Amino acid sequence: MITRLNVHRQSADWQRALAQAVTDPEELFQRLALDPALLPAALKASEQFRVRVPLGYLGRMTPGDPNDPLLLQVLPLAEECLEIPGFQCDPVGDLESMPIPGLLHKYHGRVLLVTSGACAIHCRYCFRRHFPYRDASAIREAWPQILMYLRTHEEVREIILSGGDPLTLSDDKLAAMVSDLAGIPHLRTLRLHSRLPVVLPERIDDTLLGWLTGTRLRPIMVIHANHARELDGTTRAAMERLELAGVRLFNQTVLLRGINDDADALAMLNHALFDSGVQPYYLHMLDPVQGAAHFAVTEEHALTLMKQLSRQLPGYLIPRLVREVPGHDSKTQIAHSPHAVEGFSL
Ligand SMILES: *Cc1c(COP(=O)(O)O)cnc(C)c1O
Ligand code: SF4
């Protein structure tokens, strides 16, 4: 969380933009000229998971269009309050693979740190909408333990800063973290997973590039874009700055019903990513999180989309279709031969 003090002290453009994000459902409805009949449901659903939309991102939406693919990612709906069997609060088993608060070690060679519970945008489909960040992002108190864990696990090559969104933290904090991590000789790669290059491109400023590229660790960033319309001149400029500074860029998309679940939308997204210097990486099946069932796409439809994509796009623009299955030692690729995934069906 950014305190008022912090904003005054540093008052970087991105911190002002973050502080100005829309958090009141009523304001969201007014700014986008939405049907007031939907407001009571939005207010109710936002009690479970608050609204948060940066103004720049809101500016890429079409006012008056209730089906705008950007709006649908942030608009609280009555459907969120339904309890659907199979949709859970901790769908990816995070709480079981956390040896230290804030540290997830599920896969060989890479460790994920939950660095912050805060995000610049609240995505309604988020698999961490129920995550107990208050316990899990205790990274400040657990930091010495985390460093000790990493020092004693010499097989770990890559450190992943995730969240919430790591780029909601101040540059001072991030720089200090990265400097400690760079002191662990077997670590090679510093990966950030962040939606800020897309939803708050102001964040990619010189101060950020300073600590991100001023380390011996090889920096890579996975941005999270779901739709071509999320990318405009401001985001393209942010990606260019990252690319010029030597940061390798990848994208991860969540496959979302009504937002990007058709081949043309996905093809346009992957072309737009390429135009921004970003390599498509994963197309994620939705995690079955409670409150997000209305975004779910069936595996059958996902496979059809992949087939259509492979006809439309060069191989290097096709992301891998994956799902996260609790207990598996990597993301699970969904291949063309249809198969059931344990514990989950649609
Ligand atoms: C997804 C994830 C990773 C990264 O997996 P890649 O296949 O390397 O992108 C690492 N750790 C955890 C806990 C994850 O959930
Ligand atoms: S963690 Fe990512 S998907 Fe979830 S709300 Fe934050 S930015 Fe959105």
Side-chain angles (χ1 to χ4, degrees):
M1 287 292 156
I2 304 298
T3 64
R4 190 165 293 179
L5 241 177
N6 236 338
V7 171
H8 274 292
R9 188 164 49 83
Q10 304 192 345
S11 80
D13 286 352
W14 71 268
Q15 284 171 317
R16 274 193 298 273
L18 187 59
Q20 285 165 1
V22 173
T23 53
D24 174 7
E26 217 166 332
E27 186 183 348
L28 182 67
F29 272 65
Q30 274 164 8
R31 283 183 180 269
L32 291 167
L34 300 175
D35 180 359
L38 296 170
L39 183 58
L43 287 167
K44 180 152 188 295
S46 68
E47 283 168 17
Q48 279 190 11
F49 185 50
R50 283 186 57 193
V51 162
R52 178 173 291 276
V53 196
L55 286 174
Y57 188 80
L58 193 142
R60 295 171 221 156
M61 300 176 190
T62 309
D65 179 4
N67 296 317
D68 184 284
L70 278 58
L71 173 68
L72 291 178
Q73 297 182 49
V74 299
L75 179 67
L77 297 176
E79 284 92 325
E80 291 177 27
C81 302
L82 302 175
E83 289 205 9
I84 309 281
F87 286 76
Q88 302 144 15
C89 283
D90 178 22
V92 294
D94 273 349
L95 297 180
E96 280 159 31
S97 35
M98 206 175 260
I100 302 171
L103 184 149
L104 286 165
H105 192 183
K106 287 195 204 174
Y107 304 155
H108 182 79
R110 49 237 200 266
V111 160
L112 184 150
L113 300 181
V114 177
T115 54
S116 158
C119 288
I121 188 168
H122 285 180
C123 316
R124 308 313 297 182
Y125 55 83
C126 182
F127 77 109
R128 285 189 166 139
R129 53 182 291 154
H130 304 286
F131 203 70
Y133 282 113
R134 215 157 294 169
D135 307 328
S137 65
I139 204 157
R140 207 180 309 167
E141 294 97 276
W143 191 240
Q145 266 174 285
I146 288 174
L147 291 177
M148 185 58 75
Y149 183 95
L150 293 171
R151 275 190 211 107
T152 51
H153 284 74
E154 289 188 11
E155 80 283 8
V156 178
R157 298 173 62 96
E158 177 170 17
I159 192 82
I160 303 173
L161 305 187
S162 182
D165 201 306
L167 292 184
T168 56
L169 294 175
S170 73
D171 288 306
D172 289 351
K173 272 194 196 131
L174 288 159
M177 244 183 222
V178 169
S179 152
D180 286 347
L181 293 167
I184 301 175
H186 52 271
L187 292 181
R188 307 279 185 83
T189 307
L190 171 69
R191 181 194 327 185
L192 272 82
H193 273 257
S194 175
R195 205 152 143 69
L196 267 76
V198 175
V199 305
L200 203 88
E202 299 92 326
R203 181 66 183 95
I204 311 304
D205 60 12
D206 290 337
T207 320
L208 175 139
L209 294 175
W211 60 261
L212 184 56
T213 62
T215 165
R216 68 164 187 86
L217 300 170
R218 184 99 167 85
I220 73 179
M221 191 171 310
V222 182
I223 67 161
H224 290 216
N226 297 318
H227 196 278
R229 289 247 319 275
E230 292 182 321
L231 304 171
D232 67 1
T234 63
T235 62
R236 224 169 359 256
M239 308 313 168
E240 266 165 26
R241 292 164 67 75
L242 288 163
E243 191 182 14
L244 275 174
V247 181
R248 294 279 293 272
L249 295 168
F250 297 92
N251 180 65
Q252 174 169 315
T253 298
V254 182
L255 186 55
L256 297 164
R257 187 156 90 208
I259 294 173
N260 59 16
D261 62 338
D262 71 86
D264 288 342
L266 289 173
M268 272 177 5
L269 168 63
N270 289 303
H271 280 304
L273 287 166
F274 183 73
D275 291 344
S276 299
V278 182
Q279 173 70 47
Y281 182 39
Y282 282 148
L283 178 61
H284 253 274
M285 297 297 288
L286 182 80
D287 293 313
V289 60
Q290 200 213 307
H294 53 291
F295 289 119
V297 173
T298 62
E299 216 164 84
E300 191 190 3
H301 183 52
L303 285 169
T304 305
L305 290 173
M306 291 305 292
K307 226 178 258 174
Q308 291 169 332
L309 273 190
S310 60
R311 273 190 238 115
Q312 290 192 38
L313 295 175
Y316 61 85
L317 287 189
I318 299 178
R320 239 170 298 167
L321 179 65
V322 293
R323 171 193 294 296
E324 183 153 355
V325 182
H328 282 198
D329 56 9
S330 71
K331 305 283 187 268
T332 304
Q333 187 158 358
I334 302 174
H336 281 286
S337 62
H339 62 277
V341 174
E342 322 150 45
F344 185 81
S345 61
L346 275 171

